[in-house]
Amino acid sequence: MLAVARDVTHRYVDPLAQVWLEAARRIGLAVERSAEVYAATDGRGRLAIGDDATLDADDSLAQMIFHELCHSLVEGEPAFARPDWGMDNTGPDHDWREHACLRVQWLLAGRHGLRALLAPTTEFRAFWSQLGGDVLADRSDASVQAAITGVSRADRTPWAPALGDALAATAQIAQVAARFAAPEPASPEPGRARSLWREVVAPPAPHPTGLPAGDAAGTCGSCAWRTGARCRQAGAKVDPAWPACERFEAALDCQTCGACCRAAYHSVEVSRRDPVVKAQPALIVDRGSYLEIRRTGDRCAALDGGELDHGRIARYRCTIYDDRPRTCRDFTIGSTHCLTARRRVGLSL
């Protein structure tokens, strides 16, 4: 057949690539393809992703952009102004920050049945592959706390609504494409990779409260946020037999938290007649019209612990627990104020 000269006036773009290129643009990133990198940000709004020849067969531009956006969720909005989100691939904090990113990726993709399609393909794939159940259960793991903060940011600007819209659109495209995926042969050729479209699953139904469904083995009846017949997280009545939602927490431990004693609140005021004034005079600051407990940085000076060591956070301890002021004695674990404090420091969704 003879070639016929013609003017090419349009170009084809893969649907998933189109979705995620536009999502990145709305969030504030211009995506460029390059044979010189795998994935890198320049701190000036440019995200470079390897070209097709650079990537593996199970990579996709959509997954690569999504992964980088999960990094941005963990590191926070200021990280947009830092090359590679401010991460140092050789530093001691690299692994747990990467793990935090993957926990965010696992949760957000899971809401839409996209964990297989949008799975990471880096050297941290082994960590991803062992994720399962409640990936936020261990609150003494620095990557868990960072992931909770990251997931919480997904509902705020600049990520919302673009990120959620992109995930929903990807799920719609995936459900249609999966119906047209060719069945796998009964005896596949050695080394033949399976189609990712065959791995697409239906998005999970929301929890009866309307919150995202969870993967924890517990129920509303065993959740720390149920008080009587109501759930503090959902602000609604719950059936104790309902399965856990994404915000499930089996138990609250003050010594892995310390939220109310640190950045969640900026001051602990005490009465002049509170016994702590005489028992711990070195910790009392007189502001004229009121007294408060002295602070060290963003935390109560009486709080010990919280050091980060190889991705683990040391347990907290009140050094004046027996003399603690009434304000602290009246603070109730599992209360609305407790939930607020934990959310502020990234311990609860």
Side-chain angles (χ1 to χ4, degrees):
M1 180 180 293
L2 295 175
V4 178
R6 68 183 184 89
D7 292 332
V8 178
T9 58
H10 295 78
R11 62 187 178 89
Y12 176 81
V13 179
D14 174 78
L16 289 186
Q18 182 67 60
V19 167
W20 286 94
L21 287 167
E22 178 59 15
R25 186 193 69 79
R26 293 180 184 180
I27 291 170
L29 290 171
V31 179
E32 299 178 6
R33 307 299 298 275
S34 170
E36 304 300 320
V37 300
Y38 181 68
T41 66
D42 65 358
R44 298 189 298 273
R46 175 179 173 270
L47 169 59
I49 300 287
D51 60 18
D52 290 343
T54 305
L55 305 183
D56 294 329
D58 57 349
D59 278 320
S60 71
L61 184 58
Q63 183 275 128
M64 298 286 289
I65 294 173
F66 176 47
H67 179 75
E68 293 302 313
L69 290 176
C70 288
H71 269 305
S72 74
L73 287 168
V74 170
E75 304 304 327
E77 192 170 357
F80 281 84
R82 305 179 195 130
D84 294 326
W85 312 115
M87 295 182 66
D88 177 3
N89 291 345
T90 63
D93 292 336
H94 175 67
D95 282 8
W96 70 259
R97 291 167 77 181
E98 188 72 42
H99 292 170
C101 170
L102 296 186
R103 292 181 195 276
V104 172
Q105 194 166 341
W106 175 272
L107 282 168
L108 296 183
R111 291 177 181 177
H112 299 271
L114 298 171
R115 285 175 181 157
L117 187 65
L118 297 181
T121 56
T122 67
E123 65 270 26
F124 287 92
R125 179 59 176 262
F127 177 82
W128 170 275
S129 297
Q130 59 86 37
L131 289 174
D134 185 0
V135 299
L136 303 179
D138 185 359
R139 260 51 176 194
S140 63
D141 185 326
S143 73
V144 169
Q145 292 195 22
I148 291 170
T149 299
V151 172
S152 299
R153 288 181 176 130
D155 293 326
R156 310 174 201 160
T157 56
W159 299 276
L163 179 57
D165 290 347
L167 285 165
T170 300
Q172 291 178 325
I173 294 169
Q175 291 298 315
V176 173
R179 296 203 299 267
F180 290 87
E184 295 294 330
S187 300
E189 300 173 12
R192 182 179 183 272
R194 291 170 53 87
S195 169
L196 277 172
W197 296 116
R198 299 289 299 175
E199 306 301 317
V200 173
V201 299
H207 189 265
T209 60
L211 294 172
D215 294 308
T219 65
C220 288
S222 60
C223 181
W225 297 117
R226 184 178 71 94
T227 174
R230 296 184 65 82
C231 169
R232 293 198 188 280
Q233 286 280 7
K237 289 184 177 180
V238 293
D239 185 328
W242 284 347
C245 75
E246 188 179 84
R247 300 183 184 183
F248 173 86
E249 292 185 60
L252 303 177
D253 181 354
C254 292
Q255 289 191 284
T256 61
C257 176
C260 57
C261 306
R262 45 194 182 103
Y265 298 109
H266 69 275
S267 176
V268 176
E269 295 187 21
V270 296
S271 164
R272 294 184 182 275
R273 291 179 290 182
D274 195 306
V276 73
V277 176
K278 290 185 177 180
Q280 301 289 340
L283 289 174
I284 305 301
V285 178
D286 191 336
R287 300 297 186 190
S289 59
Y290 67 95
L291 304 180
E292 67 176 358
I293 298 293
R294 180 166 56 83
R295 297 185 73 79
T296 301
D298 64 356
R299 60 195 286 173
C300 173
L303 183 66
D304 191 22
E307 299 84 3
L308 180 63
D309 182 21
H310 293 88
R312 306 294 301 180
I313 299 172
R315 291 175 68 81
Y316 293 96
R317 181 178 69 91
C318 176
T319 60
I320 61 164
Y321 188 77
D322 291 339
D323 295 328
R324 68 193 187 282
R326 181 169 182 175
T327 302
C328 302
R329 294 176 186 272
D330 290 345
F331 196 91
T332 306
I333 186 172
S335 65
T336 300
H337 292 307
C338 176
L339 176 57
T340 297
R342 289 175 64 86
R343 283 175 171 168
R344 287 176 178 174
V345 301
L347 275 167
S348 292
L349 289 171

